[in-house]
Amino acid sequence: MNNIKTILGAILISAFAFNCSSDDDSNNNEGSMSIEPDFSGTYTQQDQMGRPAVNTVFVSAASKNTFNVTTPDAQGAAFQPMFQANLEGLSPAFANPGDMNALMQTSADFTGLLATDVLNLSLDGETTFFNPATGALLTGRNLTDDVITIELLLIFGGEDFTENSQLSNDNVDANDKPFSASFPYLASAW
Amino acid sequence: MKKTKIILGIGALAIASFFMVAADHIDAPAVASGTADITDFYAFQAEDPNNVVFVANVQGLLSPSATASAAFDENVLIEFNIDTTGDNVEDLVLQAIPRDGRMYFFGPTIPGSVGVDSAIETNATQTSVAISAYGEAATATTNAGMKFFAGPRDDPFFMDFAQYGEIIAGNATGFNSPGVDTFKGTNVMSIVVEVPKTMVGGSGTINTWVEAKTKQ
C-alpha cells in the first residue's frame, strides 16, 4: 500500500513538473503541451546494411556484430578473406580453382566486390540489382527485384547460371502484395 | 507451470530466430529482433525520374496483431549514408529519428563527423511527418522537393528462407518449386524518403548504405 502511494505521488509530481516546464517554455507558440524535441547526444552504430543478405550469408557467426560496426571503407580489408573462405565452403560452383560465376568473377573477385557492403545507385537511368533483359547490374535495388535468386545464381549457378539448379533459385519470385508506382511505394501493412 | 511456459517460449523464439535470418533481418546477435535491427534497404529511381527513393525497414516479422502496437524507438537514429566520391566514406547523410509520434528528418547534409558515432545534424534542412498509424492511409509530407513517410508497411522482402535454413542445416538438398515466401503476411516499420538527384550527387553512380545508431 505504501508502495502504491509512493508511485502515485511520483506520477503526480512528474505530471506537475511537466506542466510547469511546458508553461515556462517561451518558444511554445502553439499554446499546446508540446515541448521542443531533444536531439542532443551521440548516437553509436549498432547495425548497417548495403546489399541484401551479405552479412547473413558471408559473415561467420562470431563476426556478425563486428561486421555491423566496421565502416564500409574498412570492410574489404577486414572481411574479404572470410567471405572467400565461406563462399568456397558453401558453393560447389566455387569448389575448384579457377571457378567463376556468370559475371566471370572468381571467388576472390566476387567476394572482393561483396565485402564492401554498399549499394551502388545510378543517378543516370535504370536502377536495379540485376536486369537480364537490359544487362543492368548493381545500379540500385528495386522493390520488385528478386535479389535472393540473383544472389543464389551468382553463388551457386556457375559460369552460365546452369550449375546446381536445385540451389540457385528459391522459386519465390515476387512479393506477397503488389507495390505502388507512387510514393511511398511499399504496400500497406497486413 | 509458469516456468515451463516461459522455457517453451524461449525455445520457440530461438528456433524462429534461427530460421528467420534473411535480407538483413535479425542478422547479428547484438541487434537481433531489437528496435535497431535493420531488416532491409532499398534505393531506386522514383516515379519522377529526377528523384531517387531510399527505403529503410526495421523490426521485421511483425504479425498483423503485433503491428498496431509496434513503434519506432526514440533512442534509435536511422541514417542513410551517401558516398559521392567512390571512397566508401559518407559525404552526405540523411537522418531520421522519431519524437512523440512524429518522424524528424535532417538533411541531406555534409555530416559533422563520419563513421560509427554521429550527432543529429540539427542545422540541416529539417522536416517532420506524423508517423502513420496501423490500418490508416499513409501520411506523407513534402519539403524542399523531398517526400517523407514513416510507419508500418507490408515487408517488401520475399524469399523461401525456411527452406534455405533446411539446406544450410543439411536437411534438404535444394529448394522446392514453388517455394514458400517466409515473409508472407508480415509487416515492418518503414521509413521512405524521396529526394531530387541533385541533392545526392546529381549524376553518375553513388554508393549508399543505411545505419542504425543508438543514443549513448
Side-chain angles (χ1 to χ4, degrees), chain A residues 34 36-57 61 64-65 68-73 90 116-128 138-148 152 156 166-177 179 181-190, chain B residues 21-24 27-31 36-38 40-47 53 64 77 87-89 97 99 104 106 116-118 120 122 134 140 147-149 153-160 164 167-168 173-177 179-180 183-187 190 192 194 197 202-216:
Chain A
S34 70
E36 190 69 14
D38 174 14
F39 296 117
S40 66
T42 298
Y43 290 78
T44 299
Q45 191 155 319
Q46 304 295 319
D47 197 3
Q48 70 180 331
M49 176 181 180
R51 301 184 188 95
V54 166
N55 192 349
T56 302
V57 174
K64 288 184 186 296
N65 290 335
N68 274 337
V69 293
T70 303
T71 53
D73 61 320
L90 179 68
T116 299
D117 189 22
V118 299
L119 184 64
N120 316 108
L121 178 66
S122 171
L123 302 178
D124 300 325
E126 182 179 12
T127 52
T128 180
L138 296 178
T139 59
R141 182 184 176 191
N142 281 315
L143 295 168
T144 50
D145 287 341
D146 189 358
V147 293
I148 291 301
L152 290 171
F156 294 106
Q166 287 290 301
L167 297 169
S168 57
N169 191 339
D170 71 338
N171 303 305
V172 177
D173 304 330
N175 192 38
D176 52 346
K177 266 194 180 186
F179 298 115
S182 301
F183 194 87
Y185 304 100
L186 280 71
S188 61
W190 288 96
Chain B
V21 185
D24 200 78
D27 61 308
V31 292
D37 188 15
I38 299 163
D40 251 313
F41 172 52
Y42 298 81
F44 53 91
Q45 182 166 277
E47 181 180 24
V53 179
L77 173 70
D87 61 0
N88 300 308
V89 176
I97 190 159
R99 289 287 180 268
Y104 288 80
F106 300 90
V116 295
D117 291 327
S118 289
I120 296 178
T122 51
Y134 178 62
K147 297 179 183 177
F148 301 87
F149 167 84
R153 295 272 99 183
D154 161 54
D155 189 342
F157 186 65
F158 48 91
M159 177 187 181
D160 192 340
Y164 177 76
I167 294 166
I168 295 300
T173 55
F175 287 101
N176 299 317
S177 186
V180 176
F183 301 87
K184 183 178 170 63
T186 68
N187 300 319
S190 189
V192 187
E194 180 171 329
K197 290 178 176 177
S203 63
T205 296
I206 58 176
N207 299 318
T208 63
W209 65 99
V210 67
E211 298 169 347
K213 295 176 164 176
T214 54
K215 188 167 184 178
Q216 298 307 294

Side-chain angles (χ1 to χ4, degrees), chain A residues 18-115:
Chain A
F18 181 82
N19 277 327
C20 283
S21 65
S22 181
D23 289 342
D24 292 345
D25 185 353
S26 58
N27 293 326
N28 187 357
N29 53 17
E30 291 178 347
S32 71
M33 293 286 290
S34 70
I35 295 171
E36 190 69 14
D38 174 14
F39 296 117
S40 66
T42 298
Y43 290 78
T44 299
Q45 191 155 319
Q46 304 295 319
D47 197 3
Q48 70 180 331
M49 176 181 180
R51 301 184 188 95
V54 166
N55 192 349
T56 302
V57 174
F58 292 100
V59 183
S60 304
S63 300
K64 288 184 186 296
N65 290 335
T66 309
F67 185 76
N68 274 337
V69 293
T70 303
T71 53
D73 61 320
Q75 284 175 331
F79 290 97
Q80 188 278 331
M82 175 194 290
F83 276 42
Q84 185 172 340
N86 286 346
L87 174 64
E88 290 169 356
L90 179 68
S91 175
F94 281 107
N96 300 309
D99 275 339
M100 293 188 284
N101 62 20
L103 301 175
M104 295 298 116
Q105 293 169 323
T106 63
S107 57
D109 297 335
F110 187 35
T111 55
L113 171 72
L114 293 179

Side-chain angles (χ1 to χ4, degrees), chain B:
Chain B
M1 187 59 195
K2 246 186 178 171
K3 215 173 191 179
T4 312
K5 269 189 191 165
I6 290 167
I7 290 166
L8 279 174
I10 291 168
L13 197 68
I15 291 164
S17 301
F18 177 76
F19 286 113
M20 300 293 181
V21 185
D24 200 78
H25 302 67
I26 319 177
D27 61 308
V31 292
S33 300
T35 52
D37 188 15
I38 299 163
T39 66
D40 251 313
F41 172 52
Y42 298 81
F44 53 91
Q45 182 166 277
E47 181 180 24
D48 177 346
N50 296 309
N51 296 345
V52 286
V53 179
F54 297 107
V55 177
N57 294 332
V58 295
Q59 302 182 38
L61 295 159
L62 294 169
S63 68
S65 62
T67 307
S69 59
F72 292 104
D73 187 336
E74 296 200 354
N75 287 315
V76 176
L77 173 70
I78 299 296
E79 186 175 83
F80 296 100
N81 288 253
I82 297 154
D83 160 34
T84 59
T85 57
D87 61 0
N88 300 308
V89 176
E90 63 271 32
D91 300 293
L92 298 166
V93 295
L94 179 55
Q95 299 174 326
I97 190 159
R99 289 287 180 268
D100 195 24
R102 300 185 70 81
M103 186 66 75
Y104 288 80
F105 294 89
F106 300 90
T109 189
I110 299 167
S113 64
V114 298
V116 295
D117 291 327
S118 289
I120 296 178
E121 303 289 343
T122 51
N123 291 326
T125 304
Q126 179 179 334
T127 311
S128 76
V129 62
I131 295 169
S132 295
Y134 178 62
E136 294 179 8
T139 301
T141 289
T142 61
N143 182 32
M146 299 181 279
K147 297 179 183 177
F148 301 87
F149 167 84
R153 295 272 99 183
D154 161 54
D155 189 342
F157 186 65
F158 48 91
M159 177 187 181
D160 192 340
F161 191 78
Q163 189 65 16
Y164 177 76
E166 290 293 300
I167 294 166
I168 295 300
N171 298 327
T173 55
F175 287 101
N176 299 317
S177 186
V180 176
D181 181 5
T182 309
F183 301 87
K184 183 178 170 63
T186 68
N187 300 319
V188 289
M189 296 301 285
S190 189
I191 296 168
V192 187
V193 188
E194 180 171 329
V195 303
K197 290 178 176 177
T198 53
M199 287 186 179
V200 291
S203 63
T205 296
I206 58 176
N207 299 318
T208 63
W209 65 99
V210 67
E211 298 169 347
K213 295 176 164 176
T214 54
K215 188 167 184 178
Q216 298 307 294

